[in-house]
Amino acid sequence: MLLVFCRHGGVAALLAAVAAETLLWLFGVVALQPALILVGALLFYLSEYGMHRFAFHSPPLSWPPARKLQHRLHYDHHVEPSRLDLLFLPLWFLVPNLALAAGLFALAFGI
Ligand SMILES: [Zn+2]
């Protein structure tokens, strides 16, 4: 089950990013700051809750392509909660959102 979980594209990408960051830290390329890791973790949960509560559970949109997107991003997960491909966000949505969040984080904290 854990292997199936880790093979999902979004989870695999996040694990690869953590591994890359750890290697960069081990080789002295980057310095990890525990306070910023804690802030990042807290912001992740705040962002996760906000997206889930206000975006993914927003009322269905009237424009069919947007409504289809809402179904793919979250509504269908509640219809079939055991489907792993619906449990996690697709990479085409996750990667740009993580890049945007990382950019905002860097701007806010001057990194
Ligand atoms: Zn939900």
Side-chain angles (χ1 to χ4, degrees):
M1 178 65 180
L2 184 62
L3 272 179
V4 172
F5 179 81
C6 291
R7 271 189 260 160
H8 183 273
V11 176
L14 288 173
L15 290 174
V18 169
E21 181 80 16
T22 302
L23 286 173
L24 291 172
W25 172 68
L26 286 173
F27 287 104
V29 178
V30 297
L32 296 181
Q33 299 177 37
L36 289 180
I37 293 171
L38 181 63
V39 169
L42 292 173
L43 287 175
F44 168 80
Y45 286 107
L46 184 65
S47 155
E48 167 67 15
Y49 175 79
M51 283 294 286
H52 191 190
R53 170 67 181 82
F54 298 107
F56 295 152
H57 282 267
S58 64
L61 297 170
S62 59
W63 189 43
R67 194 171 51 251
K68 184 178 177 186
L69 185 66
Q70 286 180 298
H71 276 275
R72 170 55 192 97
L73 290 178
H74 199 68
Y75 290 169
D76 290 349
H77 159 65
H78 286 284
V79 176
E80 297 180 73
S82 61
R83 273 187 55 187
L84 206 56
D85 60 321
L86 297 175
L87 178 61
F88 299 108
L89 292 172
L91 281 176
W92 54 262
F93 184 82
L94 180 67
V95 170
N97 278 286
L98 280 178
L100 178 66
L104 291 174
F105 188 84
L107 281 175
F109 292 96
I111 301 171

Coordinates of all heavy atoms in Angstrom, one line a residue, residues 17-60:
A17 N 11.7 16.0 -4.5 CA 12.1 17.3 -4.1 C 12.7 17.3 -2.8 O 13.7 18.0 -2.5 CB 10.9 18.3 -4.2
V18 N 12.1 16.6 -1.8 CA 12.7 16.5 -0.5 C 14.1 15.8 -0.5 O 15.0 16.3 0.1 CB 11.8 15.7 0.5 CG1 12.4 15.4 1.8 CG2 10.5 16.5 0.7
A19 N 14.2 14.8 -1.3 CA 15.5 14.1 -1.5 C 16.5 15.0 -2.1 O 17.7 15.1 -1.6 CB 15.3 12.8 -2.3
A20 N 16.1 15.8 -3.1 CA 17.1 16.7 -3.8 C 17.5 17.8 -2.8 O 18.7 18.1 -2.7 CB 16.4 17.3 -5.0
E21 N 16.6 18.3 -2.0 CA 16.9 19.4 -1.0 C 17.8 18.8 0.0 O 18.8 19.5 0.4 CB 15.6 19.9 -0.4 CG 15.8 21.0 0.6 CD 16.0 22.4 0.0 OE1 15.7 22.5 -1.2 OE2 16.5 23.3 0.7
T22 N 17.6 17.6 0.5 CA 18.4 17.0 1.5 C 19.9 16.8 0.9 O 20.8 17.1 1.6 CB 17.8 15.6 1.9 OG1 16.5 15.8 2.4 CG2 18.7 15.0 3.0
L23 N 20.0 16.3 -0.3 CA 21.3 16.2 -0.9 C 22.0 17.5 -1.1 O 23.2 17.6 -0.8 CB 21.2 15.5 -2.3 CG 20.9 14.0 -2.3 CD1 20.6 13.5 -3.7 CD2 22.0 13.2 -1.6
L24 N 21.3 18.5 -1.5 CA 21.9 19.9 -1.6 C 22.4 20.4 -0.2 O 23.4 21.0 -0.1 CB 20.9 20.9 -2.2 CG 20.5 20.6 -3.7 CD1 19.4 21.6 -4.1 CD2 21.7 20.9 -4.5
W25 N 21.6 20.0 0.8 CA 22.0 20.4 2.2 C 23.3 19.6 2.6 O 24.2 20.2 3.2 CB 20.9 20.2 3.1 CG 21.2 20.3 4.6 CD1 21.6 21.5 5.2 CD2 21.3 19.3 5.6 NE1 21.8 21.3 6.5 CE2 21.7 19.9 6.8 CE3 21.1 17.9 5.5 CZ2 21.8 19.2 7.9 CZ3 21.2 17.2 6.7 CH2 21.6 17.9 7.9
L26 N 23.3 18.3 2.3 CA 24.4 17.4 2.7 C 25.7 17.9 2.1 O 26.8 17.8 2.6 CB 24.1 16.0 2.4 CG 23.1 15.3 3.3 CD1 22.7 13.9 2.8 CD2 23.6 15.2 4.7
F27 N 25.6 18.3 0.8 CA 26.8 18.8 0.1 C 27.1 20.3 0.3 O 28.0 20.8 -0.4 CB 26.7 18.5 -1.4 CG 26.8 17.0 -1.7 CD1 25.6 16.2 -2.0 CD2 28.0 16.3 -1.6 CE1 25.8 14.9 -2.2 CE2 28.1 15.0 -1.9 CZ 27.0 14.2 -2.2
G28 N 26.4 20.9 1.2 CA 26.7 22.3 1.5 C 26.2 23.3 0.5 O 26.7 24.5 0.6
V29 N 25.4 22.9 -0.4 CA 24.9 23.9 -1.4 C 23.9 24.8 -0.9 O 23.9 26.0 -1.2 CB 24.4 23.1 -2.7 CG1 23.8 24.1 -3.7 CG2 25.4 22.2 -3.2
V30 N 23.1 24.3 0.0 CA 22.0 25.1 0.7 C 22.1 25.0 2.2 O 22.6 24.0 2.7 CB 20.6 24.8 0.2 CG1 20.4 25.0 -1.3 CG2 20.2 23.4 0.6
A31 N 21.7 26.0 2.9 CA 21.6 25.9 4.3 C 20.1 25.8 4.7 O 19.3 26.5 4.3 CB 22.2 27.1 5.0
L32 N 19.8 24.7 5.5 CA 18.5 24.6 6.0 C 18.3 25.3 7.3 O 19.1 25.3 8.2 CB 18.1 23.1 6.2 CG 18.2 22.2 4.9 CD1 17.8 20.8 5.3 CD2 17.2 22.7 3.9
Q33 N 17.2 26.1 7.3 CA 16.9 26.9 8.5 C 15.6 26.2 9.2 O 14.5 26.3 8.6 CB 16.6 28.3 8.2 CG 17.9 29.0 7.5 CD 17.6 30.4 7.1 OE1 16.9 31.1 7.8 NE2 18.2 30.8 6.0
P34 N 15.8 25.6 10.4 CA 14.6 25.0 11.0 C 13.4 25.9 11.2 O 12.3 25.4 11.0 CB 15.2 24.5 12.4 CG 16.7 24.4 12.1 CD 17.0 25.5 11.1
A35 N 13.6 27.1 11.5 CA 12.4 28.0 11.6 C 11.7 28.1 10.3 O 10.4 28.1 10.3 CB 12.9 29.4 12.1
L36 N 12.4 28.2 9.2 CA 11.7 28.3 7.9 C 11.0 27.0 7.5 O 10.0 27.0 6.9 CB 12.7 28.8 6.8 CG 13.1 30.2 6.9 CD1 14.1 30.6 5.8 CD2 11.9 31.2 6.9
I37 N 11.6 25.9 7.9 CA 11.0 24.6 7.6 C 9.6 24.5 8.4 O 8.6 24.1 7.9 CB 11.9 23.4 8.0 CG1 13.1 23.4 7.1 CG2 11.2 22.1 8.0 CD1 14.2 22.5 7.5
L38 N 9.7 25.0 9.7 CA 8.5 25.0 10.5 C 7.4 26.0 9.9 O 6.2 25.6 9.8 CB 8.8 25.4 11.9 CG 7.6 25.5 12.9 CD1 7.0 24.1 13.1 CD2 8.0 26.0 14.2
V39 N 7.8 27.1 9.5 CA 6.9 28.1 8.8 C 6.3 27.5 7.6 O 5.1 27.6 7.3 CB 7.6 29.4 8.5 CG1 6.8 30.3 7.6 CG2 8.0 30.2 9.8
G40 N 7.2 26.8 6.8 CA 6.7 26.2 5.5 C 5.7 25.1 5.8 O 4.7 25.0 5.1
A41 N 5.9 24.3 6.9 CA 5.0 23.2 7.2 C 3.6 23.8 7.7 O 2.6 23.4 7.3 CB 5.6 22.4 8.3
L42 N 3.7 24.9 8.5 CA 2.5 25.5 8.9 C 1.7 26.2 7.8 O 0.5 26.1 7.7 CB 2.8 26.6 10.0 CG 3.3 26.0 11.3 CD1 3.7 27.2 12.2 CD2 2.2 25.2 12.0
L43 N 2.4 26.8 6.9 CA 1.8 27.4 5.7 C 1.2 26.4 4.8 O 0.2 26.6 4.1 CB 2.8 28.3 4.9 CG 3.1 29.6 5.6 CD1 4.2 30.4 4.8 CD2 1.9 30.5 5.7
F44 N 1.9 25.2 4.7 CA 1.3 24.1 3.9 C -0.1 23.7 4.4 O -1.0 23.6 3.6 CB 2.3 22.9 3.9 CG 1.6 21.7 3.3 CD1 1.5 21.5 1.9 CD2 1.0 20.7 4.1 CE1 0.9 20.4 1.4 CE2 0.4 19.6 3.6 CZ 0.3 19.5 2.2
Y45 N -0.2 23.5 5.7 CA -1.5 23.1 6.3 C -2.5 24.2 6.1 O -3.7 23.9 5.8 CB -1.3 22.6 7.7 CG -0.6 21.3 7.8 CD1 0.7 21.2 8.2 CD2 -1.3 20.1 7.3 CE1 1.3 19.9 8.2 CE2 -0.7 18.9 7.3 CZ 0.6 18.8 7.8 OH 1.3 17.6 7.8
L46 N -2.1 25.4 6.3 CA -3.0 26.5 6.1 C -3.5 26.6 4.6 O -4.7 26.7 4.3 CB -2.4 27.9 6.5 CG -3.2 29.1 6.4 CD1 -4.3 29.0 7.5 CD2 -2.4 30.3 6.7
S47 N -2.6 26.4 3.7 CA -2.9 26.4 2.3 C -3.8 25.2 1.9 O -4.7 25.4 1.2 CB -1.6 26.4 1.5 OG -1.8 25.9 0.2
E48 N -3.4 24.1 2.5 CA -4.2 22.9 2.2 C -5.6 23.0 2.7 O -6.6 22.7 1.9 CB -3.5 21.7 2.9 CG -4.4 20.4 3.0 CD -4.6 19.7 1.6 OE1 -3.9 20.1 0.7 OE2 -5.5 18.9 1.6
Y49 N -5.8 23.5 3.9 CA -7.2 23.7 4.4 C -7.9 24.8 3.6 O -9.1 24.6 3.2 CB -7.1 24.2 5.9 CG -8.5 24.5 6.4 CD1 -9.4 23.5 6.7 CD2 -9.0 25.8 6.4 CE1 -10.7 23.8 7.1 CE2 -10.3 26.1 6.8 CZ -11.1 25.1 7.2 OH -12.4 25.4 7.6
G50 N -7.2 25.9 3.2 CA -7.9 27.0 2.5 C -8.3 26.5 1.1 O -9.5 26.8 0.7
M51 N -7.4 25.8 0.4 CA -7.8 25.3 -0.9 C -8.9 24.3 -0.8 O -9.9 24.3 -1.6 CB -6.6 24.6 -1.6 CG -5.6 25.6 -2.2 SD -6.2 26.5 -3.5 CE -6.2 25.3 -4.8
H52 N -8.9 23.4 0.1 CA -9.9 22.4 0.3 C -11.2 23.0 0.6 O -12.2 22.7 0.0 CB -9.5 21.3 1.3 CG -10.3 20.1 1.3 ND1 -10.3 19.2 2.3 CD2 -11.3 19.7 0.5 CE1 -11.1 18.2 2.1 NE2 -11.8 18.5 1.0
R53 N -11.2 23.8 1.6 CA -12.5 24.4 2.1 C -13.1 25.4 1.1 O -14.3 25.4 0.9 CB -12.2 25.1 3.4 CG -13.3 25.9 4.0 CD -14.5 25.1 4.4 NE -15.6 25.9 4.9 CZ -16.4 26.6 4.2 NH1 -16.4 26.5 2.9 NH2 -17.4 27.3 4.8
F54 N -12.3 26.3 0.6 CA -12.9 27.4 -0.2 C -12.8 27.2 -1.7 O -13.6 27.7 -2.5 CB -12.2 28.7 0.2 CG -12.4 29.0 1.6 CD1 -11.4 28.9 2.5 CD2 -13.7 29.5 2.0 CE1 -11.6 29.2 3.9 CE2 -13.9 29.8 3.4 CZ -12.8 29.6 4.3
A55 N -11.8 26.4 -2.3 CA -11.7 26.3 -3.7 C -12.3 24.9 -4.1 O -13.2 24.9 -5.0 CB -10.3 26.4 -4.2
F56 N -11.9 23.8 -3.5 CA -12.3 22.5 -3.9 C -13.8 22.2 -3.6 O -14.4 21.4 -4.2 CB -11.4 21.4 -3.4 CG -10.0 21.5 -3.9 CD1 -9.0 21.0 -3.2 CD2 -9.8 22.0 -5.2 CE1 -7.7 21.1 -3.7 CE2 -8.5 22.1 -5.7 CZ -7.4 21.6 -4.9
H57 N -14.3 22.9 -2.5 CA -15.7 22.7 -2.1 C -16.6 23.9 -2.5 O -17.6 24.1 -1.9 CB -15.8 22.3 -0.7 CG -15.4 20.9 -0.4 ND1 -16.4 19.9 -0.3 CD2 -14.2 20.3 -0.2 CE1 -15.8 18.7 -0.1 NE2 -14.5 19.0 0.0
S58 N -16.1 24.7 -3.4 CA -16.9 25.8 -3.9 C -18.1 25.2 -4.7 O -18.0 24.1 -5.2 CB -16.1 26.8 -4.7 OG -15.6 26.2 -5.9
P59 N -19.2 26.0 -4.8 CA -20.3 25.5 -5.6 C -19.9 25.2 -7.0 O -19.0 25.9 -7.6 CB -21.3 26.7 -5.5 CG -20.9 27.5 -4.4 CD -19.4 27.3 -4.2
P60 N -20.6 24.2 -7.7 CA -20.2 23.9 -9.1 C -20.4 25.1 -10.0 O -21.4 25.9 -9.9 CB -21.2 22.8 -9.4 CG -21.7 22.3 -8.2 CD -21.6 23.4 -7.1

